[in-house]
């Protein structure tokens, strides 16, 4: 089996057929489709069973509800493909996407991860196609920092060689689990590539967790990035990545008022001008230089109460 496709399923009776049909309608056919019904209380489980009865490539696992990470891990535990990919059950694939991507992987068997474009918030007013260029990265820190992987840690718009998951699983009971998992996979990868071919449709879900972040969820996200900053040894290095994490820290403090965990970087005021960031972020950095991280968090909360 060349490819294992894992779809976690939980109460998505209105979008599940579109998702599954986008896979079964692909011109590429050398795959197994693993549907993990995570204790759905609607008709999602029976929809999965009907597809499995009609197509031998489809396998269904029914389990007690454990959350997205547990559902993905359940699929990983039984996956047999050389490669593995994930699709969320309210999303879908563009036509011929798998054939294009698997052909590229056949031509480049040294790729450990292949990332492809996505249509962001399909069906919403802010819908847009996001591409990451055509690149190869044999330095994972370059992929993370210069390729700005820290802004697109999504599990789903990537195909992975399955061995990367031999000792890696998604963290249960953790929000923004993708941000925790991708750095662990990169520690085991040797070559990551991005392509402008293929398309993943990420739909807008107004009820989704990331559409309504709170202190707990953002705290999980901050923890993931702080771990990665420590791993890279750049906790106190001023960079575009630091600015990204700084904004998360400010939001976490706004919800929780817990002492900030992000350390202040060592930098000069002159170095701010060289960063590819917006005007508001530059002002935050200037204030950070003057008053420190704790007082910046307090000021931000005062001006932007959740």
């Amino acid at each position: 089996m060349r490819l294992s496709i894992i779809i976690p399923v939980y109460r998505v009776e209105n979008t599940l057929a579109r998702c599954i049909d986008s896979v079964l309608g692909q011109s590429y056919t050398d795959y197994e489709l693993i549907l993990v019904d995570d204790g759905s209380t609607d008709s999602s489980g029976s929809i999965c069973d009907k597809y499995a009865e009609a197509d031998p490539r489809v396998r269904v696992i029914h389990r007690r509800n454990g959350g997205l990470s547990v559902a993905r891990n359940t699929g990983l535990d039984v996956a047999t493909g050389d490669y593995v990919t994930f699709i969320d059950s309210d999303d879908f694939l563009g036509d011929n996407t798998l054939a294009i991507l698997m052909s590229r992987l056949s031509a480049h068997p040294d790729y450990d991860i292949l990332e492809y474009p996505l249509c962001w918030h399909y069906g919403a007013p802010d819908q847009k196609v996001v591409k990451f260029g055509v690149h190869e990265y044999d330095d994972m820190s370059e992929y993370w920092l210069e390729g700005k992987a820290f802004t697109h840690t999504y599990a789903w718009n990537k195909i992975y060689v399955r061995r990367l998951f031999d000792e890696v699983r998604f963290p249960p009971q953790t929000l923004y689990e993708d941000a925790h998992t991708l750095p662990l996979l990169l520690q085991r990868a040797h070559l990551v590539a991005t392509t402008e071919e293929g398309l993943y449709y990420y739909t807008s879900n107004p009820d989704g967790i990331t559409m309504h972040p709170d202190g707990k969820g953002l705290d999980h996200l901050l923890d993931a990035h702080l771990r990665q900053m420590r791993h890279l040894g750049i906790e106190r290095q001023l960079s575009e990545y630091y600015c990204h994490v700084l904004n998360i820290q400010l939001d976490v403090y706004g919800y929780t008022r817990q002492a900030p965990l992000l350390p202040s970087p060592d930098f000069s005021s002159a170095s701010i001008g060289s960063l590819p960031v917006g005007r508001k972020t530059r002002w935050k950095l200037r204030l950070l230089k003057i008053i420190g991280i704790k007082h910046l968090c307090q000021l931000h909360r005062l001006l932007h109460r959740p």
Side-chain angles (χ1 to χ4, degrees), residues 1-5 19-33 55 57-58 80-85 87 93-107 114 116 159-160 198:
M1 185 64 60
R2 189 65 168 160
L3 176 66
S4 296
I5 304 170
C19 177
I20 297 175
D21 288 342
S22 77
V23 175
L24 299 181
Q26 295 284 313
S27 57
Y28 184 83
T29 60
D30 189 12
Y31 61 79
E32 60 178 355
L33 178 56
D55 194 315
R57 294 171 298 177
V58 180
T80 62
D82 300 319
Y83 294 90
V84 62
T85 193
I87 306 174
L93 297 180
D95 293 342
N96 211 37
T97 288
L98 292 182
I100 294 170
L101 298 177
M102 295 308 295
S103 175
R104 181 166 291 274
L105 287 169
S106 293
L114 179 60
Y116 61 101
I159 297 181
Y160 315 80

Side-chain angles (χ1 to χ4, degrees), residues 25-46:
Q26 295 284 313
S27 57
Y28 184 83
T29 60
D30 189 12
Y31 61 79
E32 60 178 355
L33 178 56
I34 304 171
L35 305 176
V36 183
D37 172 27
D38 191 38
S40 296
T41 55
D42 62 2
S43 63
S44 296
S46 60

Side-chain angles (χ1 to χ4, degrees), residues 52-290:
E53 292 170 1
D55 194 315
R57 294 171 298 177
V58 180
R59 178 178 180 181
V60 181
I61 300 174
H62 297 283
R63 56 158 297 118
R64 295 174 58 184
N65 179 254
L68 178 59
S69 288
V70 173
R72 285 177 177 164
N73 293 341
T74 299
L76 285 169
D77 289 342
V78 300
T80 62
D82 300 319
Y83 294 90
V84 62
T85 193
F86 304 93
I87 306 174
D88 284 355
S89 49
D90 47 3
D91 301 336
F92 61 100
L93 297 180
D95 293 342
N96 211 37
T97 288
L98 292 182
I100 294 170
L101 298 177
M102 295 308 295
S103 175
R104 181 166 291 274
L105 287 169
S106 293
H108 299 275
D110 49 345
Y111 287 175
D112 293 311
I113 301 174
L114 179 60
E115 181 173 26
Y116 61 101
L118 60 104
C119 179
W120 178 259
H121 283 177
Y122 171 77
D126 61 342
Q127 172 183 321
K128 62 179 178 180
V129 172
V130 181
K131 296 184 177 182
F132 310 102
V134 179
H135 303 285
E136 294 183 355
Y137 300 93
D138 57 10
D139 182 337
M140 298 303 106
S141 62
E142 180 184 356
Y143 171 61
W144 188 262
L145 299 173
E146 296 181 22
K148 300 182 182 180
F150 60 86
T151 66
H152 45 95
T153 61
Y154 325 118
W156 26 258
N157 70 321
K158 303 170 181 68
I159 297 181
Y160 315 80
V161 65
R162 186 168 59 90
R163 63 169 176 76
L164 293 182
F165 286 96
D166 284 350
E167 299 178 355
V168 174
R169 289 294 186 269
F170 293 92
Q173 308 304 316
T174 302
L175 302 177
Y176 296 97
E177 68 290 329
D178 298 353
H180 285 265
T181 307
L182 182 58
L184 298 178
L185 297 174
L186 294 180
Q187 292 175 28
R188 293 158 174 79
H190 300 288
L191 188 62
V192 173
T194 58
T195 179
E196 294 193 340
E197 299 176 299
L199 192 61
Y200 183 100
Y201 286 88
Y202 173 71
T203 62
S204 177
N205 180 3
D207 298 321
I209 294 174
T210 56
M211 295 296 289
H212 303 280
D214 58 15
K216 180 180 179 181
L218 291 173
D219 187 58
H220 290 178
L221 181 61
L222 176 63
D223 178 65
H225 284 295
L226 290 176
R227 289 172 183 265
Q228 178 67 342
M229 293 178 82
R230 286 193 291 269
H231 173 73
L232 296 175
I234 57 173
E235 287 180 279
R236 294 184 175 274
Q237 179 179 317
L238 184 63
S239 64
E240 187 176 4
Y241 182 36
Y242 183 92
C243 296
H244 178 79
V245 182
L246 174 61
N247 285 324
I248 299 172
Q249 173 66 87
L250 293 174
D251 288 338
V252 168
Y253 184 88
Y255 282 103
T256 68
R257 300 189 68 177
Q258 295 176 357
L261 299 174
L262 178 67
S264 295
D266 299 321
F267 68 102
S268 66
S269 298
S271 63
I272 298 175
S274 62
L275 290 176
V277 295
R279 181 180 302 176
K280 289 183 178 179
T281 300
R282 294 184 193 278
W283 275 110
K284 292 175 185 176
L285 292 174
R286 293 187 178 98
L287 286 171
L288 175 63
K289 180 66 176 177
I290 298 170

